[in-house]
Amino acid sequence: MAFYLSLILIVLCMIMSLQTLFSSAKIKGRWVSMENFLYLISLYATIMIGFGLIYILLDLHGLVVLIDGTNYIEAGFLERLETGFYFSAVTLFSVGYGDISPIGIGRMIAVMEALIGYVIPAAFVARVVFDAEKQA
């Protein structure tokens, strides 16, 4: 019972924190927009799913692109799907945990994905600033 109550309390606190981000407060004279936030989420989700599908398609085609530790991942389709999306998310949002490693062409794909993951925030901020300057 305490576990579920704690979980609900934590989720409620996170929602309240996000609500304060989008309340009518200005950050350096700019309004924080829910539209921009949703745009950024959908952009990240699209890229994460796209790269995950690339890893899965290459794996289904017979190319080994991901290994778990030192072993090739021998799994069913759903486990490959989970692994591909997990590796894609970890690569896009950070430098990875190291539990799953890319090999072969998977290394270059992971480098491109990581680069995109680091460039998106800078490009998004630049876009918001340029749009705000055009409106001013």
Side-chain angles (χ1 to χ4, degrees):
M1 177 74 175
F3 169 76
Y4 294 111
L5 191 58
S6 299
L7 186 62
I8 291 170
L9 186 61
I10 291 168
V11 170
L12 184 62
C13 289
M14 290 187 329
I15 290 171
M16 291 172 57
S17 295
L18 285 173
Q19 182 183 3
T20 61
L21 180 64
F22 298 108
S23 64
S24 59
K26 289 186 177 183
I27 299 176
K28 293 186 180 179
R30 311 270 190 248
W31 288 97
V32 178
S33 169
M34 183 64 148
E35 179 182 305
N36 287 339
F37 181 69
L38 292 175
Y39 169 76
L40 194 58
I41 287 175
S42 65
L43 181 64
Y44 269 116
T46 302
I47 291 170
M48 180 188 70
I49 291 169
F51 274 102
L53 289 173
I54 289 171
Y55 296 126
I56 294 163
L57 289 175
L58 290 174
D59 187 47
L60 291 175
H61 189 64
L63 295 170
V64 179
V65 291
L66 300 175
I67 57 171
D68 186 6
T70 58
N71 303 322
Y72 169 65
I73 300 169
E74 291 282 342
F77 179 75
L78 288 178
E79 291 176 28
R80 288 180 180 177
L81 190 70
E82 177 186 332
T83 301
F85 287 147
Y86 166 77
F87 179 76
S88 179
V90 168
T91 302
L92 186 64
F93 296 123
S94 68
V95 293
Y97 290 124
D99 54 345
I100 299 173
S101 303
I103 61 170
I105 190 71
R107 289 180 177 179
M108 292 309 300
I109 296 170
V111 167
M112 288 188 303
E113 184 177 10
L115 180 65
I116 289 170
Y118 283 112
V119 170
I120 285 176
F124 182 74
V125 168
R127 178 181 162 220
V128 170
V129 169
F130 288 136
D131 286 348
E133 287 178 357
K134 286 180 184 177
Q135 291 176 359

